[in-house]
Amino acid sequence: MNQDAAIRRIFAFKGRFGEAHFYFACHAAFPLALTPDLLYRLWANFQTDSYGEPLNIQWMAVADLLLSSLCEEVGHELYEMPLEIRNALLQELKQNNRFGASRIHELAEFLAVQVSRDLDSTDIDLRDYAESQYWIALAYIKPGRVAEEIQIKIKQLKLDDYTERRRINLLVETLSVPLRDFLPKLLPIIAYPQSASLQIKTFGFTSVVLDKNGQKISEHQYNAKYFEEKLGNGITLEMVEISDGEFIMGSPRVEEGSLDREKPQHKVKVASFFLGKFPVTQAQWEAVAELPKAKRDLMKNPSTFKGGNLPVECISWHDAVEFCERLTLKTGRNYRLPSESEWEYACRAGTTTAFHFGDAISSEFANYRDLVSYGNNSKRLYRGETTPVGYFNFANSFGLYDMHGNVFEWCLDYWHDNYEKAPNYSGAWTIEGRDSLHILRGGSWNELPIECRSAYRHRDHPNGKYFFVGFRVACTPSM
């Protein structure tokens, strides 16, 4: 999230709930993690400003805040504010004439008392949570002591303890203002160990070209480079190399089913990256769901249609991001969702037609709701469920399977109603736009053929979970 998006969310919250709720949100930004119990105690202890004047905060402010767009649920009754929102609220608290620096010290003392009893807990997760909260409180009172404790903690870690390193790294980022004088000493020892070098391999595959009737008119043999990521228990993730290049993004007006949201067409330069050969499968999902948590809990088997080689579905955007972050912690490589432009570039694989097959699609080569024609294709086959990844044995010319149909795939970008002012590079487009919606691409087993086109854009709330939505992962590793 960028700072502009954070400010928009804060203003929307204040406009809806009023000044008293806004003041409560500013106080609630002080703890790193929030629970209903902690917030009720915060509400009970801070009902006046620094001059003793009442704030008139009603008790329902707790629920209103936790259910608002200022907070994200990261576990059972555990919430966090995105860093940009948290920083903006704390800045308001410090600069507001009714509070100032004295209120920060009051909050620090309050939080230190609240979590002190959990610092010696036998529950490791609870102890880590309490330690983080305690350092948050102490950083504003005794920053030198916190910096010293973090140094000691890091030096005690094993080199491959990625999860704990990430937790402390995020904590130091959060505390960059009170610890600013100590960052030169802290940052070098927090850095992650280097990831293992990649073993690049080559695989062969077949792609097809269809005529306007959906009939195969030619086959082509290609080779592509890839690497395998071992997830444990014999489960691997195959990542295909996508070379850098340039393409025209969006659809021309003459394309059947073309929509205004896919325009104007524009040229985009794409840097090289790796993309999953298939959508993430249920077997891969379960393997990663067993890894240590980055920020939020994951259901082990969320899918409606069961099968290890079926694509995982009923996955929210937040779930997909958590999957990528866990992979990053395990491997030391930068796993993420693809940007929307990366996804379309990879799907097209050098083509300019409606599908990478050509200007037609057929249920013989893709899984979608084949109930109406696209082009002159008259075949009809609606499977009504997902199919195993790679089921059709034909990839596009980059070596990617299931880019049309089977499951929609999440992308990183915020939703924009069209491509006006779209960037000409392949990074995620998160400037302006609607951060409450994220991009879905590729269509699904439940979509009509026009919704499976290379250029088709869909969107949904990042908490949305549906039996036709999955994802595939991208990676930009250092070689």
Side-chain angles (χ1 to χ4, degrees):
M1 179 185 299
N2 59 37
Q3 198 63 33
D4 288 342
I7 297 298
R8 287 199 302 273
R9 289 195 190 186
I10 292 170
F11 271 106
F13 178 85
K14 186 177 181 180
R16 179 180 179 185
F17 295 109
E19 190 170 62
H21 272 53
F22 171 66
Y23 286 151
F24 181 67
C26 290
H27 287 68
F30 189 82
L32 181 64
L34 303 171
T35 64
D37 179 60
L38 176 61
L39 280 184
Y40 276 117
R41 282 183 274 162
L42 191 72
W43 168 79
N45 281 271
F46 292 91
Q47 282 289 343
T48 61
D49 63 17
S50 297
Y51 303 98
E53 295 295 323
L55 295 174
N56 299 317
I57 304 171
Q58 297 180 335
W59 64 268
M60 68 274 294
V62 172
D64 290 339
L65 176 62
L66 292 179
L67 296 176
S68 76
S69 63
L70 301 188
C71 293
E72 297 176 352
E73 188 173 7
V74 295
H76 178 63
E77 293 193 342
L78 185 63
Y79 300 80
E80 288 182 2
M81 288 184 181
L83 181 60
E84 295 82 2
I85 288 176
R86 187 172 179 273
N87 286 343
L89 289 172
L90 285 176
Q91 187 70 11
E92 172 64 28
L93 189 68
K94 287 186 287 186
Q95 293 180 348
N96 193 291
N97 292 332
R98 299 187 67 175
F99 306 106
S102 62
R103 181 49 54 97
I104 295 293
H105 281 265
E106 291 170 15
L107 284 166
E109 292 171 357
F110 163 82
L111 187 59
V113 170
Q114 298 301 313
V115 302
S116 59
R117 67 179 183 274
D118 295 326
L119 289 172
D120 297 321
S121 173
T122 56
D123 184 326
I124 295 176
D125 290 337
L126 180 59
R127 191 170 67 241
D128 286 347
Y129 162 78
E131 182 182 63
S132 296
Q133 296 282 51
Y134 190 72
W135 280 345
I136 287 281
L138 211 59
Y140 289 89
I141 303 173
K142 300 178 181 178
R145 177 176 164 185
V146 172
E148 183 180 347
E149 290 186 10
I150 291 176
Q151 283 181 310
I152 293 172
K153 184 83 171 183
I154 288 291
K155 290 177 180 178
Q156 291 173 345
L157 294 179
K158 296 178 180 179
L159 286 177
D160 60 352
D161 196 343
Y162 300 119
T163 302
E164 186 65 3
R165 285 179 181 276
R166 183 183 185 279
R167 179 180 77 87
I168 297 176
N169 195 27
L170 290 174
L171 187 61
V172 170
E173 181 183 359
T174 301
L175 294 173
S176 60
V177 174
L179 295 183
R180 58 183 174 271
D181 294 336
F182 304 92
L183 291 180
K185 292 183 179 180
L186 287 176
L187 294 180
I189 64 172
I190 292 175
Y192 298 126
Q194 288 188 340
S195 58
S197 60
L198 295 178
Q199 295 183 355
I200 302 297
K201 305 177 183 179
T202 302
F203 72 100
F205 58 93
T206 303
S207 68
V208 298
V209 176
L210 307 181
D211 64 18
K212 292 186 177 181
N213 298 315
Q215 299 296 312
K216 182 174 67 175
I217 55 177
S218 63
E219 291 187 7
H220 302 274
Q221 305 298 317
Y222 296 100
N223 292 312
K225 295 179 180 180
Y226 78 110
F227 72 89
E228 289 184 334
E229 198 71 85
K230 295 180 180 179
L231 305 181
N233 298 321
I235 306 297
T236 60
L237 177 67
E238 294 174 286
M239 301 296 297
V240 178
E241 184 180 42
I242 309 298
S243 300
D244 60 351
E246 193 173 78
F247 81 114
I248 301 298
M249 188 173 183
S251 63
R253 294 196 177 278
V254 296
E255 182 174 293
E256 181 181 348
S258 177
L259 299 169
D260 287 343
R261 69 181 69 166
E262 302 159 7
K263 300 176 183 65
Q265 286 187 292
H266 57 289
K267 186 178 294 186
V268 179
K269 292 183 178 180
V270 181
S272 62
F273 66 106
F274 287 82
L275 189 64
K277 186 177 183 180
F278 309 107
V280 171
T281 67
Q282 293 176 36
Q284 292 166 341
W285 175 269
E286 290 183 23
V288 173
E290 295 287 346
L291 296 176
K293 179 172 71 173
K295 288 186 65 175
R296 59 191 290 125
D297 295 325
L298 294 176
M299 290 181 60
K300 185 177 179 180
N301 193 357
S303 301
T304 300
F305 307 108
K306 305 298 184 183
N309 206 36
L310 291 175
V312 68
E313 15 89 6
C314 292
I315 298 300
S316 72
W317 183 87
H318 289 303
D319 291 338
V321 169
E322 172 71 17
F323 180 98
C324 295
E325 290 188 354
R326 292 191 188 191
L327 261 184
T328 298
L329 291 175
K330 173 181 170 59
T331 65
R333 284 185 259 279
N334 179 26
Y335 279 97
R336 55 181 175 77
L337 293 177
S339 70
E340 185 180 16
S341 54
E342 285 177 332
W343 192 96
E344 186 171 327
Y345 175 75
C347 177
R348 289 188 178 280
T351 64
T352 58
T353 48
F355 309 91
H356 65 68
F357 305 117
D359 281 320
I361 189 172
S362 167
S363 52
E364 185 180 352
F365 301 100
N367 181 14
Y368 60 97
R369 185 187 284 266
D370 189 8
L371 300 181
V372 297
S373 294
Y374 190 95
N376 300 322
N377 183 14
S378 60
K379 289 187 177 180
R380 295 289 177 270
L381 175 59
Y382 175 46
R383 295 175 174 85
E385 59 183 358
T386 57
T387 45
V389 300
Y391 175 81
F392 298 97
N393 295 319
F394 295 103
N396 68 11
S397 61
F398 280 169
L400 303 172
Y401 294 77
D402 298 310
M403 297 300 287
H404 300 300
N406 216 3
V407 288
F408 266 118
E409 299 176 13
W410 287 111
C411 295
L412 275 176
D413 310 55
Y414 297 164
W415 173 255
H416 295 76
D417 290 335
N418 53 52
Y419 289 138
E420 294 290 344
K421 300 181 181 179
N424 61 357
Y425 56 89
S426 58
W429 190 13
T430 56
I431 297 175
E432 298 180 340
R434 297 169 63 183
D435 61 328
S436 60
L437 296 171
H438 284 273
I439 303 293
L440 289 164
R441 284 303 206 113
S444 79
W445 61 269
N446 198 41
E447 312 308 315
L448 296 173
I450 62 170
E451 296 162 330
C452 298
R453 293 174 297 113
S454 298
Y456 181 75
R457 311 173 66 227
H458 192 47
R459 76 281 189 195
D460 213 304
H461 190 277
N463 287 323
K465 298 183 180 184
Y466 308 97
F467 58 5
F468 48 81
V469 173
F471 69 106
R472 76 178 73 209
V473 295
C475 183
T476 47
S478 57
M479 303 297 288

